[in-house]
Every structure is written in C-alpha cells, then in structure tokens.
Amino acid sequence: MPNTTSTSGYFLDKIASMNFDRFFTRRNRILLHVFMWLGFSILLFLSYVIGYKLVYFDAVLLTIRMALVNMIVFYMLFYLLLPKIFSGSKTRIIILLLLVFPVSIFVWMASTYFISLIYYALGLEITFGELKGVIKMSANQTFLEAVSPKRMLSQTIIIISLLSPFCFAKILVEITKLYNTKFQIEREKTALEIQNIQIEKDFLKAQLNPHFLFNTLNNLYGLTVRKDHLAPELILNLSDIMSYTLYESNTEIVRLEKELDFIKNYIALEKMRYADDTNIHVTIDGQTAGLFVAPLLTFTFIENAFKYGLKSKNAFIKLDIKIENNTFWFSLENDSEERENDSDFGGIGVENARKRLELLYPDQYKLEIERLQNSFKVDLKIVLRK
C-alpha cells in the first residue's frame, strides 16, 4: 500500500517551492484562460454533436452561446463580485455571499436570453436534431418569463453542472497560490529569525572573549610569576576555547564531544578564580560518539552560574550532564542571593538560547528554568542528531 502521507507531503512541498510570481505572468494567465475555455468549448461541441445529434454548424452556434454565457458569469463572479465582497465586515461578507448564488443564476439566464434574441434577429436557428427551434422558443419569451423564479429554479442544476468545473479550477488555483504565499512568508520569517539568532550568537561569542579573557589572563599572570606548573595547562585550555568559539562553532551543529570539551575547558578556567575547596561539582557521563548538538547552547546558563552564583554563604555550582539513548540531559544549579527582581536573569543570552532551541529542535527539547528559594536551576533535555 503506498504511503499517502509521504506522497501528499511531497506534493505540498512541490507546490510550496513553486515560484508563482514567475509562472503567473500576464501572458501565462491569458494563455491558461484561453486553453480553459477552448477545452470547455470542444467538450460542449462534442456533446451537442454526439448527444443531441446536431449538425456541426448548429453545434457551433449553441457552443458559442453557452461559452459566452459561462464566461460572463465566471468573470463577473470571480473578478468583480467576490473581490468586493471580501473587503468588508464579516456580517456584510456573509449576507453578500448568500446573494451571490441567485445573482449568478439570474445573470446566466439573462445572458442566455439576450444572446438568443441576437441569434433570432440574425435569422440563426437550430434546424435539425433534438434541439430544433430552441432559439426561436427562447427569443419568443418575455424577459420576465426568461428569468422567472420558477424557471431559475428548474435550471439551477444545469447551471451548477456547467459552471462548477470553472469554479473548482479557479478555487484550486487560488488555494494553491495561498498555500504557496503562506509557505514563502513562513520561510522568509524563519530565515530572518535564524539570521537574527546567528547575529545574537556571534554577539555572544564576541562578548565571551573579552569578558572571559581578562580574568583568565590575570590568572595566567599570577601562575607565571609563581612559576606554577599549571600555567601551560591554562594556556592550552584558553587556546582550545578561543579556537572553538572563533572557528568551530560557526556551523549549525558540532560534534557533541567538541561541545563538552569546551564546557570542561571553560569551567576549568573559571575554577582557577576560586579556592580549591569551593563547592563546584561537575559530572559528565555517557557516550558521545556520532552525536551532534547546536554549539554554545548551554554556555549562557554556565556563564550565568558563575556570574550570579558563588556569592552566598552556601556557595555552590552543581552541573550534571548525561547522554543516554541519543538524549542530552543538562542540569545546572547554583546558589543565588534573594533579589527583588529576577526577571533579567540571563538577559539576551537566555532568550537567544530559547529561540535557537525552538528553531533547531522543535518538539525535540524541554527547557525549564526555576527560581528556587536560594538557588537557580536549569534543566534541559534535547533529542540529539546523528
């Protein structure tokens, strides 16, 4: 059994990717209408010849009449009435839509009557077949008889059957154009959001370098003066961090192993600012092979932990990262002093992280940020890509 979901999805994707502005030029629209009415006329001509046993000339007369009537009603409905109807209030739209149908039937029958009068005045008549004398019969009516409610009601089914193919084709085209326009708007909006996120991420990286570099260089200076053996390790960590933020994180996703190395290096350098007995606990567990993640997603939370934490009597930072079943689990908690307003916690960095998660991992992540009594806690879950 064919996969109807994938088939319809493929079809919708094709519609969405079409460039309607390029395709629906004035010339192409005119050609489409010409071919539409030509096809209708050919089918109508064949029905008169085969179904009603008319000679070719008589079939052409009735084909021209019927095609003209349908064209009058079609263009009046879709290019004159409906555009004006949908420009008002909801009540006005509903009332006018209810009036459109009887008005269309009235115009259809009135047009048929006046074209029959023209044929009759020119001496044209159906002389053979089942419709013999139909033009004279139509022309001998008064206008009120031709458009009487009883006659309009009796002809409704015929009118609907003749007009419905054109209405369906027009509606289908409009729906397709509407879907295409909606898709194009959404695609442009998404592209703009991603561009803005990239700008914010670049800003975050630029912000990281001077803020972090200043403290690290001070630590490095102190270690160098004391000729401490940790100085080379600090330089190596700093080099890895700068390389990652400047070059490797410029892609949408990076290897999870690289992101975790960045986190370890960053925390190692931050810990050097504090005493050895400072309560900074980090646990990273799980297999990273073949897994990828968006770069610098968690950096804002970690940076905020060191920025706002380690200031109270019960100073601590606890970070637990676990990779299990292709899922990235991130839990970070730090002490925090009571403040009247915590709404600015994280600022643009946290908002940037939320936006990136929504764009890059729709329905594949869960982020919770809690302000506890004496601490902040961030829990993040992401289904990773392979």
Side-chain angles (χ1 to χ4, degrees):
M1 183 177 179
N3 190 334
T4 55
T5 302
S6 60
T7 303
S8 61
Y10 173 80
F11 179 70
L12 291 175
D13 288 342
K14 284 296 183 182
I15 292 176
S17 61
M18 290 177 64
N19 189 333
F20 273 83
D21 291 335
R22 179 179 297 178
F23 178 75
F24 277 97
T25 61
R26 180 181 179 83
R27 174 179 171 275
N28 287 346
R29 289 200 302 270
I30 292 174
L31 287 176
L32 283 173
H33 282 250
V34 169
F35 286 127
M36 179 179 72
W37 293 113
L38 183 61
F40 169 75
S41 299
I42 292 173
L43 292 175
L44 194 59
F45 174 80
L46 292 175
S47 71
Y48 283 133
V49 172
I50 298 172
Y52 292 97
K53 313 295 184 188
L54 299 185
V55 297
Y56 290 162
F57 181 77
D58 292 349
V60 169
L61 286 179
L62 293 185
T63 297
I64 292 174
R65 184 182 71 166
M66 195 58 64
L68 287 174
V69 169
N70 280 274
M71 289 172 69
I72 291 170
V73 175
F74 176 82
Y75 290 110
M76 176 201 71
L77 179 63
F78 284 100
Y79 292 88
L80 180 62
L81 296 181
L82 290 182
K84 294 184 181 298
I85 288 174
F86 288 106
S87 62
S89 64
K90 290 183 179 179
T91 304
R92 178 176 178 272
I93 290 173
I94 293 173
I95 294 174
L96 292 179
L97 281 176
L98 292 175
L99 294 175
V100 159
F101 184 69
V103 168
S104 299
I105 295 176
F106 174 83
V107 172
W108 194 93
M109 299 192 69
S111 301
T112 303
Y113 174 72
F114 286 120
I115 293 175
S116 296
L117 287 180
I118 294 172
Y119 275 10
Y120 186 70
L122 295 173
L124 301 174
E125 184 57 271
I126 307 303
T127 54
F128 300 97
E130 298 180 18
L131 298 178
K132 180 179 179 180
V134 70
I135 292 178
K136 180 180 179 181
M137 187 186 305
S138 178
N140 283 337
Q141 300 176 100
T142 65
F143 178 73
L144 293 179
E145 290 174 338
V147 296
S148 65
K150 181 179 179 180
R151 183 166 175 76
M152 288 175 61
L153 187 62
S154 66
Q155 296 294 311
T156 298
I157 295 177
I158 297 175
I159 296 171
I160 292 175
S161 64
L162 288 171
L163 280 175
S164 57
F166 307 105
C167 295
F168 175 78
K170 177 64 175 175
I171 292 171
L172 181 63
V173 169
E174 292 301 322
I175 290 175
T176 304
K177 289 170 65 178
L178 182 63
Y179 177 81
N180 176 264
T181 302
K182 179 182 176 183
F183 177 83
Q184 295 293 340
I185 292 173
E186 289 180 350
R187 186 166 63 180
E188 291 173 3
K189 180 181 177 182
T190 301
L192 181 60
E193 287 179 349
I194 292 175
Q195 183 181 11
N196 289 338
I197 292 298
Q198 183 62 41
I199 292 172
E200 291 172 359
K201 189 181 80 171
D202 291 341
F203 171 77
L204 179 65
K205 288 159 57 178
Q207 191 179 36
L208 161 69
N209 297 331
H211 166 79
F212 180 69
L213 189 58
F214 179 77
N215 291 326
T216 303
L217 289 177
N218 278 340
N219 290 332
L220 179 59
Y221 174 77
L223 293 175
T224 304
V225 170
R226 298 197 307 268
K227 301 186 184 301
D228 196 303
H229 68 282
L230 293 177
E233 182 181 348
L234 186 149
I235 294 173
L236 183 60
N237 286 353
L238 180 61
S239 174
D240 289 341
I241 285 179
M242 298 300 290
S243 175
Y244 184 79
T245 57
L246 291 175
Y247 305 112
E248 298 181 53
S249 65
N250 287 327
T251 57
E252 183 179 303
I253 57 174
V254 295
R255 285 190 341 216
L256 179 59
E257 181 182 3
K258 284 287 188 180
E259 180 73 8
L260 294 181
D261 286 342
F262 164 77
I263 292 173
K264 293 174 185 176
N265 288 332
Y266 176 80
I267 293 176
L269 293 179
E270 283 283 12
K271 287 173 70 173
M272 298 188 70
R273 297 166 49 200
Y274 301 93
D276 293 339
D277 59 349
T278 304
N279 188 5
I280 301 175
H281 181 77
V282 178
T283 302
I284 299 177
D285 186 38
Q287 296 295 321
T288 62
L291 297 177
F292 293 82
V293 69
L296 301 176
L297 261 183
T298 60
F299 170 71
T300 293
F301 307 123
I302 297 172
E303 184 189 39
N304 284 340
F306 284 98
K307 180 178 180 181
Y308 295 105
L310 301 177
K311 291 180 173 61
S312 65
K313 293 181 180 179
N314 185 31
F316 75 95
I317 291 178
K318 182 181 179 182
L319 172 63
D320 288 316
I321 296 176
K322 182 171 66 174
I323 297 91
E324 186 177 36
N325 298 326
N326 298 335
T327 303
F328 176 80
W329 302 87
F330 176 92
S331 179
L332 176 64
E333 187 175 2
N334 63 273
D335 66 294
S336 179
E337 298 175 336
E338 289 284 356
R339 291 190 298 274
E340 292 184 2
N341 183 13
D342 292 314
S343 60
D344 295 331
F345 174 72
I348 190 174
V350 171
E351 186 61 28
N352 173 60
R354 289 185 187 276
K355 290 178 183 178
R356 291 179 66 204
L357 283 166
E358 188 61 36
L359 288 170
L360 300 175
Y361 298 97
D363 302 320
Q364 299 293 315
Y365 83 96
K366 183 178 181 181
L367 174 64
E368 293 181 353
I369 301 177
E370 296 181 275
R371 176 68 168 94
L372 304 178
Q373 186 174 359
N374 294 302
S375 66
F376 268 106
K377 187 175 183 183
V378 177
D379 286 304
L380 174 63
K381 169 192 170 185
I382 306 174
V383 179
L384 297 175
R385 306 175 186 179
K386 282 191 172 183

